Amino acid sequence: MGLSNVKDLCFFAKHDEKYKDANQKIVLVDFNALVKDFPTCEQDYGFAPSGVNTYFGFSANAIQNWKSAQASDPQAPILGSPGNHFTHSAQIDRVLDALNQPNGPSVMRVIFALQPEEISDPFGFMHRLESTEALTQMAKELEAKAKKAAPGKRLDIVIRFASEMNTPENKKWGYSNPAATPKEFIRAFKEVRRVFRDVAPIFQMSFSPAVRSDLTFNATTRNSKAVPGIKDYYPGIANIDFLSGSWYAGSLNNVNGAFSVLEEYFSNYKGLLKTHSFKYALDEWGGTKSTTKFAAPLKRVGDQKILQEGTKQIGWEAGSGHEEVLKKMAQKLDSFAADGITLEYATLFLQKKWNPRQILNLPFV
């Protein structure tokens, strides 16, 4: 089958690193590994990606690290050195390398996840002078990257602010943090948009809540507590370019429930398409979770580096059923065409517990 109702397929996946467990068994871990380049993605998964995700943890500590780097190098970029393969700068350069190939596509995109990690006040922190300065510098560096696209080519940059803010497990900027209210999210979202658009009109904003069978579009009550829904975080059509989200099933049993939430979410704003130019997308899309955990500590093959994360789940092997679940989810996405909804892009999230290592061929490529 094809993926007929999604214009561009992007990806996020990391290279595996080999570790040994306590029994000297080789296990594969993608915990802090390098993000795969485009040729490797095509080799491993059978499709040429149209873009990639990158994730920036924004906090006072991140700003201080940048300022410290400037002490020895006044030109130190906030996105990191292009010479360090693990930085955001280097990752975006790899997108440009793929874009600027003579036989490469005419348009590629970077979905830049800006994650507010100042836990005491994640959204309020975005309004501080120091934050505005750092965000402005970030926007300038991203704009400079976009200008490196070859003639006739274009690098689109989507700012994905505070994604999955509607989840209880997100203790940093999710609703379980008392400081991270829907009202403050909307204020911060508008401020981030203002800062980036003041630098350049190229920047597009993605509204990206989590979309799963255990979450709801409208507010609800659980355990006698009010729980906000996706609708409560909506920042207004004038402030978004992509009505997007992180769409996960987890198992075949959850596909229909996850789709019902996605359908309600997307369809609720469909009428606005007549007067506004926003587009639909998925910033993350994942199928089946794995069930295998690797107990820490692990010892990396080669340099003997110890990976110790206590009881935290630090490595994964793919669970079964990825092909079936992703195929079913792809069919659901294709069904939106009947309602006049087409997705501009979707990003397959292929890391950690969503990494389908057992798949030889994705069902829609």
Side-chain angles (χ1 to χ4, degrees):
M1 63 172 289
L3 198 58
S4 62
N5 202 36
V6 177
K7 292 182 179 179
D8 293 323
L9 190 60
C10 305
F11 86 108
F12 184 77
K14 292 188 174 184
H15 287 283
D16 291 322
E17 292 185 349
K18 291 183 178 181
Y19 282 79
K20 287 185 178 181
D21 62 15
N23 297 318
Q24 300 302 302
K25 178 185 176 182
I26 296 289
V27 296
L28 300 176
V29 178
D30 59 8
F31 185 61
N32 283 321
L34 185 67
V35 176
K36 292 185 179 183
D37 57 25
F38 285 71
T40 303
C41 176
E42 186 169 5
Q43 173 185 308
D44 289 353
Y45 301 111
F47 71 96
S50 297
V52 69
N53 287 10
T54 189
Y55 299 81
F56 191 103
F58 193 80
S59 64
N61 186 58
I63 295 174
Q64 183 56 49
N65 289 340
W66 170 50
K67 293 291 187 181
S68 297
Q70 285 187 314
S72 56
D73 177 9
Q75 303 302 316
I78 194 170
L79 296 179
S81 169
N84 180 342
H85 295 304
F86 288 87
T87 66
H88 300 87
S89 180
Q91 186 175 337
I92 296 171
D93 283 347
R94 290 194 287 274
V95 181
L96 283 165
D97 288 342
L99 173 66
N100 289 337
Q101 293 297 316
N103 58 346
S106 59
V107 180
M108 298 189 78
R109 62 175 47 86
V110 171
I111 298 96
F112 191 90
L114 183 64
Q115 303 184 149
E117 296 184 353
E118 194 64 24
I119 300 177
S120 61
D121 190 12
F123 298 140
F125 182 73
M126 308 307 295
H127 299 272
R128 296 185 189 178
L129 182 61
E130 63 190 286
S131 298
T132 300
E133 180 185 13
L135 290 173
T136 299
Q137 177 62 28
M138 188 181 298
K140 289 179 178 178
E141 292 178 21
L142 288 170
E143 183 195 25
K145 295 287 190 186
K147 288 181 177 179
K148 292 183 178 180
K153 308 265 189 174
R154 190 178 78 244
L155 178 66
D156 284 348
I157 298 177
V158 180
I159 306 301
R160 180 191 178 204
F161 175 66
S163 59
E164 303 183 45
M165 78 304 288
N166 59 318
T167 61
E169 67 270 17
N170 184 344
K171 306 298 182 182
K172 293 180 179 179
W173 64 90
Y175 71 80
S176 57
N177 181 346
T181 66
K183 180 180 179 180
E184 289 304 309
F185 164 80
I186 293 171
R187 286 186 64 241
F189 190 99
K190 292 178 178 179
E191 173 64 7
V192 170
R193 181 183 186 277
R194 181 195 69 79
V195 173
F196 276 85
R197 293 299 289 269
D198 279 354
V199 172
I202 66 165
F203 294 107
Q204 300 172 305
M205 294 292 293
S206 166
F207 176 51
S208 191
V211 183
R212 307 187 312 231
S213 61
D214 62 319
L215 302 173
T216 58
F217 177 71
N218 293 301
T220 186
T221 301
R222 291 178 185 167
N223 300 321
S224 301
K225 293 183 179 180
V227 177
I230 293 172
K231 186 177 181 180
D232 297 293
Y233 293 92
Y234 175 63
I237 197 63
N239 299 300
I240 66 173
D241 299 284
F242 291 103
L243 196 74
S244 189
S246 299
W247 188 44
Y248 288 92
S251 72
L252 187 60
N253 292 336
N254 293 335
V255 170
N256 288 338
F259 180 71
S260 293
V261 179
L262 182 67
E263 185 176 36
E264 182 178 13
Y265 166 42
F266 277 1
S267 297
N268 193 270
Y269 300 105
K270 181 189 170 187
L272 295 173
L273 281 173
K274 297 178 181 178
T275 54
H276 294 79
S277 58
F278 79 90
K279 299 176 181 179
Y280 291 95
L282 286 175
D283 293 319
E284 291 183 16
W285 167 23
T288 303
K289 291 187 293 186
S290 75
T291 56
T292 302
K293 299 179 182 181
F294 304 140
L298 302 176
K299 186 179 292 186
R300 190 161 66 184
V301 174
D303 63 5
Q304 304 297 299
K305 180 181 178 181
I306 300 295
L307 183 61
Q308 179 139 13
E309 293 288 324
T311 58
K312 187 177 179 180
Q313 193 173 2
I314 59 175
W316 291 263
E317 288 291 356
S320 62
H322 276 284
E323 294 95 330
E324 187 177 5
V325 172
L326 289 176
K327 181 177 180 179
K328 186 72 171 178
M329 295 177 84
Q331 290 170 338
K332 295 289 189 181
L333 294 180
D334 283 349
S335 73
F336 274 128
D339 200 31
I341 294 174
T342 295
L343 277 69
E344 192 71 14
Y345 67 86
T347 301
L348 276 173
F349 192 87
L350 302 169
Q351 192 204 353
K352 294 184 178 178
K353 60 187 175 184
W354 305 99
N355 183 351
R357 291 190 179 101
Q358 293 175 351
I359 287 184
L360 298 178
N361 294 292
L362 290 168
F364 38 78
V365 298

